């Protein structure tokens, strides 16, 4: 595969994950907003879920970041660019899982409790997804690409 095709593949997968998380959050918001029947939730249970959501957000992000860096450790400067990009794709998917888990969990908790305030955690995760999206510049920095490889990736 060419570097351009790998880059396109990385972006398609990345934004599909964002779209799925956002789509589910919108579904939950509409479900709650339209006043659909929901089972009552104990206030104590909701407090426990709130603590879990607050704890899972930084833990998921931390795990994603550490796993991402570990996935890039095997990349060496003498590897061909397509091999580096394949490794990067694997690492970025692991980081995405660390970001998506807290966002989806917050949406599920909002769905269970009927409390749309949990969707704010999902919104934060979507914003972080967009801030950490793979760009040519970020890929070049993460993989420490040479000038020639960076230009090859841009073109």
């Amino acid at each position: 595969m060419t570097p351009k095709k790998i880059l396109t593949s990385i972006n398609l997968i990345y934004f599909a994950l964002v779209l799925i998380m956002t789509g589910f959050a919108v579904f939950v918001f509409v479900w709650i907003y339209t006043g659909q029947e929901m089972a009552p939730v104990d206030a104590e249970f909701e407090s426990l879920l709130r603590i879990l959501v607050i704890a899972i957000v930084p833990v998921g992000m931390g795990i994603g970041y550490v796993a991402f860096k570990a996935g890039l450790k095997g990349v060496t400067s003498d590897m061909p660019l397509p091999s580096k990009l394949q490794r990067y794709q694997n690492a970025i998917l692991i980081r995405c899982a660390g970001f998506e888990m807290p966002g989806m969990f917050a949406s599920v908790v909002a769905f269970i409790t009927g409390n749309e305030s949990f969707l704010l955690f999902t919104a934060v995760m979507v914003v972080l997804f967009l801030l950490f999206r793979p760009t040519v510049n970020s890929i070049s920095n993460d993989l420490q690409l040479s000038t020639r490889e960076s230009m090859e990736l841009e073109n």
Side-chain angles (χ1 to χ4, degrees):
M1 289 185 74
T2 65
K4 193 68 170 171
K5 286 183 181 180
I6 296 170
L7 183 60
T8 302
S9 173
I10 290 170
N11 281 307
L12 281 173
I13 293 168
Y14 192 85
F15 287 107
L17 292 171
V18 175
L19 188 64
I20 290 168
M21 185 171 51
T22 305
F24 183 66
V26 168
F27 167 78
V28 170
F29 179 76
V30 170
W31 185 271
I32 294 169
Y33 187 75
T34 58
Q36 298 295 324
E37 283 290 320
M38 304 193 79
V41 176
D42 181 35
E44 202 173 299
F45 181 61
E46 187 173 339
S47 291
L48 174 67
L49 290 175
R50 183 173 311 280
I51 291 167
L52 283 173
V53 169
I54 291 170
I56 285 177
V57 169
V59 168
M61 291 174 55
I63 290 171
Y65 178 78
V66 169
F68 175 72
K69 289 298 184 184
L72 293 181
K73 277 192 179 176
V75 177
T76 60
S77 60
D78 61 337
M79 291 174 71
L81 183 59
S83 296
K84 290 180 182 180
L85 291 174
Q86 290 290 357
R87 289 248 177 131
Y88 186 81
Q89 182 177 12
N90 294 338
I92 200 95
L93 286 175
I94 293 168
R95 185 176 74 187
C96 286
F99 281 29
E100 188 177 28
M101 179 190 59
M104 289 297 280
F105 183 70
S107 292
V108 168
V109 169
F111 188 68
I112 290 170
T113 63
N115 185 345
E116 65 271 354
S117 68
F118 287 108
L119 294 174
L120 292 173
F121 290 99
T122 303
V124 166
M125 297 314 297
V126 168
V127 168
L128 288 173
F129 250 98
L130 297 176
L131 288 174
F132 288 105
R133 72 188 183 282
T135 62
V136 172
N137 194 25
S138 67
I139 293 170
S140 296
N141 289 337
D142 289 337
L143 294 176
Q144 299 174 348
L145 298 179
S146 67
T147 308
R148 183 189 58 77
E149 289 174 323
S150 294
M151 290 179 65
E152 187 179 338
L153 189 59
E154 285 180 21
N155 298 330

